[in-house]
Amino acid sequence: MAADSLEALRHEIAACRICRDTPLRGIEHRLPHEPRPVAVISTKARVLIAGQAPGLKVHESGLPFNDASGDRLREWLQVDREAFYDRDRFAIVPMGFCFPGYDIRGSDLPPRRECAPQWRQRVIAAMPQIELVLAIGQYAQAWHMGAERRDNMTETVRAWRAILFSNRSPAILPLPHPSWRNTGWIKRNPWFEQELLTTLRERIKMLVN
Ligand code: SF4
């Protein structure tokens, strides 16, 4: 994609107000705050981090993964903040670009349903150079993996070898969300740190320099 049309796409996304002005499920389900889309679209990065949706801290700073989840993700990747926020190294495109707000229990709501149908195909098409997609959590896994996704997130991540080493392009590696909420999951599934992360770090070393 030419630089000017990529810039135009970035501006279109930055100006998006769909979830505020014309939400899919009616005005009573509109975004409870002003939209602030957070995504890093790159024509050079070879790795795409496909996450879920920004949390409040990211919404306030405008910087993706600028929170404890981001610290854990950088530790998984073994990269520092400088490398992580270098758009020539990593593209960062969540399933919903705006912080969706909280549910009644105070947990982040799922990514807005409006976002992926509106933007994702165009954004992915603008980045044909991507070689590896890190599909973080069930929403990114559903969109990027389709029928290759297993019955649940654990089974999908457990099948990481078959998924990563299939012949698809770009390659896909499913990951759990790096949130503290998944600390118990990580402890219960030691193969994740011992095997999957070892391979992930090798790939990152190869693709990000
Ligand atoms: S979440 Fe996506 S579709 Fe909704 S307002 Fe933000 S950018 Fe637009």
Side-chain angles (χ1 to χ4, degrees):
M1 181 181 256
D4 57 343
S5 49
L6 182 65
E7 224 22 63
L9 177 58
R10 286 191 183 118
H11 277 108
E12 267 188 74
I13 293 170
C16 181
R17 295 187 52 85
I18 290 173
C19 298
R20 186 77 181 156
D21 295 345
T22 52
L24 200 59
R25 292 189 300 144
I27 205 72
E28 66 275 23
H29 294 287
R30 73 183 197 165
L31 200 66
H33 44 259
E34 285 302 302
R36 185 179 194 183
V38 179
V40 177
I41 305 166
S42 166
T43 50
K44 290 198 178 149
R46 294 157 77 191
V47 180
L48 166 62
I49 297 171
Q52 200 149 296
L56 180 60
K57 207 169 163 203
V58 172
H59 173 71
E60 287 170 348
S61 68
L63 204 56
F65 285 103
N66 184 31
D67 53 14
S69 294
D71 292 339
R72 178 179 261 171
L73 179 58
R74 285 181 280 278
E75 203 271 317
W76 287 356
L77 302 172
Q78 293 208 321
V79 297
D80 59 19
R81 286 176 69 90
E82 192 189 338
F84 187 83
Y85 289 117
D86 179 350
R87 72 168 56 195
D88 289 350
R89 294 174 174 172
F90 291 100
I92 306 174
V93 182
M95 293 307 296
F97 296 162
C98 297
F99 170 52
Y102 295 118
D103 65 16
I104 47 170
R105 288 167 311 183
S107 300
D108 286 11
L109 285 163
R112 293 291 304 203
R113 290 188 204 169
E114 294 86 343
C115 204
Q118 177 68 26
W119 296 115
R120 203 157 189 86
Q121 289 286 7
R122 282 177 70 192
V123 169
I124 298 301
M127 303 189 295
Q129 82 289 350
I130 294 292
E131 293 180 42
L132 175 65
V133 176
L134 303 179
I136 296 177
Q138 56 165 319
Y139 300 101
Q141 288 160 12
W143 198 91
H144 285 274
M145 295 171 54
E148 272 190 277
R149 186 177 166 227
R150 307 307 198 255
D151 287 346
N152 54 54
M153 195 276 293
T154 299
E155 291 312 312
T156 302
V157 179
R158 200 191 295 278
W160 67 272
R161 275 195 187 84
I163 294 162
L164 180 65
F165 297 117
S166 69
N167 277 333
R168 70 153 60 227
S169 176
I172 295 190
L173 183 61
L175 296 173
H177 196 278
S179 156
W180 61 269
R181 289 174 197 277
N182 280 329
T183 300
W185 184 95
I186 292 166
K187 282 197 182 127
R188 287 193 302 279
N189 295 282
W191 50 266
F192 174 74
E193 289 192 308
Q194 290 161 8
E195 299 167 28
L196 187 156
L197 285 192
T198 304
T199 300
L200 169 62
R201 287 165 182 162
E202 285 166 9
R203 286 279 171 132
I204 294 299
K205 231 184 220 169
M206 224 161 61
L207 296 172
V208 175
N209 44 44

